[in-house]
Structure formats: C-alpha cells, structure tokens
C-alpha cells in the first residue's frame, strides 16, 4: 500500500484524506522534485537504458512482451 503526501509544519499530511491508525509503522522515502526547467520527457530520459536484461526491441514491441500482441 502506498500513500503520497507533503510535509506541513513538520507533519506529513497524506493526500486524499488518507489516514492510518495510531501506531502504524511506516517507511518514508523522499521523492526528488523535478526541476522547473526540466520537461517531463527530459526527466524520464534519465531512466532510459537503466534496466538490464530486456530484449533489444522492447521499446518497439512492448505490447508483444507485456500483452502477447503480435510483434511489429
């Protein structure tokens, strides 16, 4: 289960009225904000080529590998 929120006056406020029972153990990981000068496409390109072991035609034939569609 994953919740997203922001810090307000030192307290994490969960989005969509998310609430957790008192005593719930949580793990917090800080998300890197995308620089305002960087487009979404530029930000996503940081991850291009980082996954190892994929077929060389994965980008072109992702529907084949994910959903069993015929290769292009």
């Amino acid at each position: 289960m994953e919740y997203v929120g922001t810090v307000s006056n030192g307290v994490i406020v969960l989005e969509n009225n998310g609430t957790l029972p008192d005593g719930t153990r949580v793990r917090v990981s800080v998300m890197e904000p995308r620089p305002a000068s960087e487009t979404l496409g530029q930000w996503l390109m940081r991850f291009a080529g980082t996954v190892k072991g994929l077929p060389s035609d994965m980008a072109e034939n992702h529907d084949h590998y994910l959903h069993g569609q015929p290769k292009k």
Side-chain angles (χ1 to χ4, degrees), residues 8-56:
S8 178
N9 294 320
V11 176
I12 297 172
V13 179
L14 301 176
E15 293 177 1
N16 301 323
N17 297 321
T19 58
L20 298 170
D22 285 345
T24 300
R25 292 180 47 90
V26 298
R27 176 177 291 142
V28 176
S29 116
V30 177
M31 299 167 52
E32 279 187 49
R34 182 170 40 99
S37 61
E38 187 177 39
T39 67
L40 177 59
Q42 291 169 329
W43 182 79
L44 288 172
M45 283 304 292
R46 287 196 230 165
F47 304 102
T50 60
V51 179
K52 306 295 182 215
L54 294 179
S56 60

